Amino acid sequence: MYLLSVCRPSCLAVLRYCIVISIRLKSASQSQPHYWTMGFFILLSHDSLQMDSCTNDHYGPDCRFQCKCKTGCSASGECQTDGVCRNGYFGYLCQFRDLAFLKTEQDMPILTDNDDQTCVSDDTLNRATVSMLTGRFSYFRLVIKEAMHKSLDTISFVLKNADEKVSCERETYNVTIVAHIKDYYCSTATDVTSLEVVGAGVSSLCTVNIGGGRNLAIKSKFSLSSVSSYPQTNGEAGVDGYYPTDPTFDSETCFYANGSEDTYDFLVLFKMPVLIDYFILINRRETDSVKYLANLEIITYDAYNGTVMRYTQVGDPSQGNGVYTIKHSSKNVPISMFRLENKTLLQFCEIEAYGECQYGCYGLDCTKICSDKCTDVACEVNGRCRECNDGYFGDTCDQACGRCAKNRFCLKLNGSCFDGCQPGFYPPVCKKECVAGMYGLDCSTPCNSNCPERLHQGYGSVLEMFSRKIWKQLRIRLLSTLRR
């Protein structure tokens, strides 16, 4: 069987994309599948993204992504009417799992009720603890009352696992979404159980979301060892985003391998290598069928087909689980595919892989490249730069700073120059020259009536001392002096 999958080891490579042909061979004498990978580079435009005409509440490339908005989505995935995400989701196009909402026991439920209109109203409060589903931390979002948006700058945070503090493994940073909404990034190597926010702004907080990644396996390409004809199922059911909520087998939303294999496997391929934090595997719910995943293995592979992780479920409990949450041991290593394998039988209702694009990539399916004007070529899932290189501003850092004073640079948010403008330009972005008759800092000084009609507005403060006649006389005297 031949499988085509687009991948790239690094979004920052000169040749951005490669086509990886994964050839899967299984001989009669070999019970384990073997994979050979051949890569060759081709040039493609990194801005290309075809938006298909989708149905059934899906959108995006290949119609892969489910609408997670309460009132439905536009063709591009934007929430219609009120812009509110379904419970348990938040962030860009409501694709991020909210680990705070999913943790039902909270000291301050008003902060995790998925309602930005319900806010804290205690002026004495300066500290709040938000619990989360246990896992490694990536980022959180704070929403504050619009009138109190400046108070966001007063808030700091502490991560804990039970009573022990947990440190970020890399430097933290924050991104302002709009004035009263800010994202805070802190990646941890160990588990976190709660987030504590501290500061005067806590008294005006409305919402705290804690990011649990987004499902990047949904509707991905796949390969399988076999598929059952009775009950009749298909591989798509394993990554379609749907699974039954009652304890009955549904052949339309669950995968069932043929029962005549020595080893059963299900391979999922990503369009581009991605960073996966954890997997969620939804088992069959019938009591007598749950046990078949008790000895499951999950193997992840990098872009060069090297094994990154081999996880084995050791059969504890022996009867199996209804839902398995499996931590990826190498969350900072981009993986191009993963495989489920079992020697007993392979049947499940959904496999989800939660994570994010690798460094330098963005987009729903992580196939777009961050602007080279982003600092360190780092951007968010929507392409918004975390910071801009010196001399640029805007969401994607595509606008050049104006004529800033002292040759300094400008604010990323709006292009305002830190120290004002060079003489001859209007603040705050310092791109518009003074109108005729005005000059100097901020174009605030009117020209003297003796000034020439046309002079450079930036140097009016000097030129106004000289009329044409005086300047001519001084020039004659200077030349006469030099000739002596």
Side-chain angles (χ1 to χ4, degrees):
M1 179 183 297
Y2 294 86
L3 300 173
L4 292 181
S5 168
V6 180
C7 80
R8 100 188 107 178
S10 171
C11 280
L12 307 181
V14 175
L15 298 177
R16 307 287 190 174
Y17 293 85
C18 66
I19 298 288
V20 170
I21 304 176
S22 296
I23 306 173
R24 178 168 175 255
L25 302 175
K26 187 174 182 182
S27 67
S29 62
Q30 295 173 321
S31 60
Q32 296 293 329
H34 294 264
Y35 297 87
W36 289 262
T37 302
M38 176 177 65
F40 58 91
F41 291 101
I42 60 173
L43 286 172
L44 294 175
S45 168
H46 68 265
D47 287 325
S48 62
L49 175 63
Q50 181 172 350
M51 300 301 291
D52 301 283
S53 178
C54 306
T55 58
N56 196 25
D57 220 15
H58 283 73
Y59 64 92
D62 304 320
C63 301
R64 285 179 52 202
F65 298 91
Q66 288 179 319
C67 176
K68 300 293 186 182
C69 300
K70 272 191 174 181
T71 57
C73 296
S74 67
S76 59
E78 300 287 346
C79 290
Q80 297 176 342
T81 61
D82 57 10
V84 178
C85 301
R86 292 181 191 173
N87 290 342
Y89 294 92
F90 78 106
Y92 178 63
L93 301 180
C94 298
Q95 288 295 303
F96 286 83
R97 198 164 177 246
D98 187 355
L99 301 183
F101 180 89
L102 296 171
K103 182 70 173 179
T104 54
E105 298 177 359
Q106 296 285 356
D107 292 338
M108 297 187 66
I110 194 172
L111 294 177
T112 58
D113 60 358
N114 193 32
D115 187 348
D116 293 348
Q117 304 305 312
T118 58
C119 306
V120 176
S121 56
D122 183 353
D123 292 340
T124 65
L125 189 69
N126 62 2
R127 185 181 300 267
T129 298
V130 177
S131 299
M132 59 177 281
L133 295 183
T134 302
R136 292 175 296 206
F137 203 87
S138 58
Y139 86 105
F140 68 98
R141 171 170 291 186
L142 296 182
V143 182
I144 201 168
K145 296 175 182 176
E146 292 190 36
M148 301 298 293
H149 66 88
K150 292 184 179 180
S151 296
L152 278 175
D153 295 333
T154 70
I155 295 178
S156 60
F157 67 93
V158 178
L159 303 179
K160 291 185 178 180
N161 185 346
D163 294 327
E164 292 189 7
K165 290 185 178 180
V166 178
S167 299
C168 306
E169 60 180 345
R170 291 187 292 273
E171 184 179 359
T172 63
Y173 64 95
N174 58 72
V175 176
T176 299
I177 307 304
V178 293
H180 68 292
I181 301 176
K182 185 177 287 190
D183 288 347
Y184 300 77
Y185 288 81
C186 167
S187 177
T188 68
T190 57
D191 286 344
V192 173
T193 58
S194 65
L195 162 71
E196 184 178 48
V197 288
V198 182
V202 174
S203 63
S204 300
L205 279 181
C206 304
T207 298
V208 179
N209 307 112
I210 298 178
R214 54 196 183 95
N215 180 17
L216 296 172
I218 189 167
K219 288 185 174 291
S220 289
K221 300 296 182 182
F222 62 89
S223 169
L224 43 83
S225 57
S226 65
V227 63
S228 173
S229 57
Y230 184 80
Q232 186 172 2
T233 65
N234 62 77
E236 292 179 3
V239 289
D240 63 355
Y242 299 103
Y243 46 86
T245 56
D246 54 36
T248 58
F249 180 78
D250 185 346
S251 61
E252 292 187 359
T253 61
C254 297
F255 168 74
Y256 196 130
N258 194 333
S260 59
E261 304 281 334
D262 294 329
T263 300
Y264 306 88
D265 68 90
F266 189 98
L267 179 72
V268 178
L269 303 104
F270 299 110
K271 272 192 171 183
M272 297 291 170
V274 293
L275 302 175
I276 297 300
D277 187 21
Y278 61 96
F279 300 91
I280 293 181
L281 181 61
I282 311 296
N283 202 348
R284 290 183 63 171
R285 300 299 179 91
E286 305 96 316
T287 304
D288 59 343
S289 298
V290 172
K291 60 185 179 183
Y292 289 119
L293 287 184
N295 297 297
L296 173 80
E297 285 192 322
I298 294 184
I299 306 100
T300 62
Y301 302 90
D302 63 22
Y304 305 98
N305 208 24
T307 299
V308 177
M309 178 193 78
R310 179 179 288 271
Y311 163 87
T312 302
Q313 216 294 322
V314 295
D316 182 20
S318 59
Q319 71 272 20
N321 277 327
V323 179
Y324 292 90
T325 300
I326 301 155
K327 186 184 299 183
H328 191 220
S329 61
S330 302
K331 71 168 187 172
N332 294 321
V333 177
I335 65 171
S336 60
M337 55 187 170
F338 67 91
R339 179 161 55 95
L340 283 67
E341 182 178 294
N342 203 346
K343 289 181 171 60
T344 308
L345 189 61
L346 189 58
Q347 49 186 12
F348 61 93
C349 292
E350 191 73 18
I351 177 66
E352 300 173 333
Y354 284 89
E356 195 40 88
C357 301
Q358 64 170 308
Y359 181 84
C361 302
Y362 76 98
L364 287 169
D365 54 359
C366 301
T367 58
K368 304 180 82 172
I369 300 171
C370 300
S371 168
D372 58 5
K373 294 181 178 62
C374 300
T375 302
D376 298 325
V377 198
C379 65
E380 309 306 318
V381 63
N382 60 355
R384 179 172 178 164
C385 298
R386 296 172 185 173
E387 294 292 339
C388 293
N389 290 337
D390 289 345
Y392 295 93
F393 73 98
D395 285 346
T396 57
C397 304
D398 57 343
Q399 301 181 65
C401 293
R403 299 291 189 90
C404 298
K406 303 179 183 178
N407 289 321
R408 292 193 64 190
F409 302 110
C410 60
L411 294 174
K412 172 187 179 295
L413 188 63
N414 56 21
S416 298
C417 291
F418 289 105
D419 296 311
C421 305
Q422 296 177 13
F425 293 87
Y426 284 103
V429 295
C430 308
K431 289 189 174 184
K432 183 180 178 181
E433 292 191 37
C434 300
V435 298
M438 302 297 292
Y439 75 92
L441 290 174
D442 300 340
C443 302
S444 58
T445 307
C447 295
N448 189 284
S449 59
N450 290 328
C451 287
E453 292 183 3
R454 302 293 298 174
L455 55 81
H456 192 288
Q457 293 91 332
Y459 299 96
S461 57
V462 176
L463 295 177
E464 73 170 354
M465 298 173 60
F466 307 99
S467 67
R468 292 178 186 270
K469 183 176 180 180
I470 294 176
W471 172 243
K472 184 177 180 180
Q473 292 175 350
L474 285 175
R475 186 176 61 176
I476 293 172
R477 290 180 182 179
L478 178 61
L479 290 173
S480 176
T481 301
L482 292 174
R483 289 170 181 167
R484 291 177 183 175

